[in-house]
Amino acid sequence: MRLILKTAVFPLLLTVMSIGNLLAKEITLYASSSIPPYVISKTDNGIAVDVIRAAFAFKGYTVKFVVAPNRRVEKQLTERKVDGAYNMPQQKIPNLFYSQPVMYYDDIFVSLESSHIVINRVEDLAGKRIVAFQNAPKYIGKQFAEIAEKSSGYSEVGDQELQLRMLYSGDRTDVIVLDRNIFNYYFNQKKNPPYPPNSFVIHTIFPKVPIFAAFIDATVRDDFNEGLEAIRKTGQYKKIIDAYLDEN
C-alpha cells in the first residue's frame, strides 16, 4: 500500500512543481541610469527598484533590472526586446503601455544658510554660480535653461553627492539644483564630519514631476498598477522610501 501511495504522489508533486514554474513570471526592466537613492546599480536596489519589485511580487512576478544609456533603453523598447523600463517620460515612445506614477521627482534649489540667498522664482538665480545635475535645463524648463545658457557660472556634474560637497565648501557655487530625495539621501549619510543640521536652505519653486514605468504588454502594466496600489495601501511603499531616507 505504501509503495502504491508513493507511486501516486510522485507524479502529483511533479505536476504541482510544473504548474508553479509556469506561474512564476520573470520580466526584465531597463533603467536609464543609476541614480541613488532611486536606482543603485552597484547593490541592485534603491527606492524605485524596491518599489517596483514589491509591486510586481504582489502579482507573482520577479524582476531583473538592467541599467543602460537612454538611447539603448529606447531602442530595446521600440524593438520590443525588453519587457519595460523605469524613469520614462509619459508618451514619449508610441505603442507602449504606461503605468501610474511610480515616483515623483521634486527638483529643489539649495543654498548655504550663511549666504542668506533668497530664491522665490527662477529669475532670482540670475548672477548666481549654479551647479546642477546633468541635463538639468532639459528637465527643469525654459526659464532655467535661458539662465543657465547666459550664466558663466553655470556647470553640471554627474556625481550628485559632489554637489553637496561643493556647496558646503563654497567651491565655485552659490546654489545647487537636484531632487529633494537625492539631497536628503546624501545629507543623511554619516560622514566625518557630518553636515551641520541647519547648514543648508531648501528653496522650492517647481511642482513635483511624475515618473512612470513603460511596458510592451498591457497585462503586465495592469498587474504592476494593481500591485503598486496594493503596496501603497498597506504602507509598504512608504516603508521602502523611509528606509533609504532616514539617517544612514
Side-chain angles (χ1 to χ4, degrees), residues 1 3 5 33 36 47 54 60 63 69 71 77 102 108 112 121-123 131 154 163 170 179 193 196 239:
M1 179 63 71
L3 179 61
L5 284 175
S33 56
I47 293 175
V63 183
R71 288 184 180 179
L77 284 170
V102 181
I108 57 174
L112 285 176
R121 55 182 188 160
V122 177
E123 289 80 2
V131 175
Y154 177 82
Q163 288 180 279
D179 170 76
K239 286 181 180 178

Side-chain angles (χ1 to χ4, degrees), residues 22-235:
L22 288 172
L23 292 176
K25 297 168 282 189
E26 181 177 280
I27 62 172
T28 299
L29 295 185
Y30 271 56
S32 59
S33 56
S34 178
I35 310 176
Y38 294 105
V39 178
I40 307 173
S41 59
K42 288 183 179 180
T43 52
D44 192 29
N45 65 352
I47 293 175
V49 172
D50 291 358
V51 162
I52 291 170
R53 282 189 169 137
F56 269 124
F58 181 80
K59 297 295 291 184
Y61 292 81
T62 59
V63 183
K64 176 184 176 182
F65 272 90
V66 177
V67 176
N70 277 330
R71 288 184 180 179
R72 183 180 174 193
V73 173
E74 293 180 10
K75 186 174 186 293
Q76 293 283 337
L77 284 170
T78 301
E79 296 178 357
R80 305 178 75 83
K81 293 180 178 179
V82 64
D83 296 297
Y86 164 72
N87 199 19
M88 298 296 298
Q90 193 173 30
Q91 307 304 330
K92 182 177 180 181
I93 301 176
N95 303 317
L96 294 178
F97 300 93
Y98 289 83
S99 71
Q100 294 297 316
V102 181
M103 296 283 154
Y104 287 86
Y105 287 169
D106 185 9
D107 290 322
I108 57 174
F109 299 108
V110 184
S111 64
L112 285 176
E113 193 279 333
S114 59
S115 69
H116 304 291
I117 290 175
V118 176
I119 304 173
N120 294 319
R121 55 182 188 160
V122 177
E123 289 80 2
D124 293 336
L125 293 169
K128 305 289 192 302
R129 298 175 301 169
I130 305 167
V131 175
F133 59 90
Q134 289 183 327
N135 298 316
K138 177 181 176 182
Y139 297 98
I140 294 180
K142 183 178 179 181
Q143 287 180 299
F144 181 77
E146 290 174 352
I147 289 175
E149 185 178 1
K150 295 176 182 177
S151 174
S152 60
Y154 177 82
S155 61
E156 298 177 355
V157 296
D159 180 353
Q160 294 192 263
E161 183 180 11
L162 178 60
Q163 288 180 279
L164 274 73
R165 296 201 303 268
M166 291 177 68
L167 179 61
Y168 187 68
S169 65
D171 183 14
R172 305 189 306 279
T173 182
D174 303 310
V175 179
I176 59 175
V177 184
L178 71 173
D179 170 76
R180 186 185 299 270
N181 283 342
I182 294 174
F183 170 80
N184 288 334
Y185 176 74
Y186 286 121
F187 181 82
N188 287 329
Q189 284 187 344
K190 294 192 180 299
K191 296 181 177 298
N192 188 21
Y195 298 119
N198 298 316
S199 53
F200 298 112
V201 176
I202 293 175
H203 311 269
T204 303
I205 297 178
F206 304 109
K208 296 180 180 180
V209 177
I211 302 297
F212 307 87
F215 303 97
I216 65 172
D217 185 277
T219 300
V220 174
R221 186 273 313 273
D222 293 344
D223 285 344
F224 173 71
N225 282 344
E226 187 177 337
L228 186 61
E229 183 179 357
I231 66 171
R232 287 184 190 276
K233 287 181 178 179
T234 63

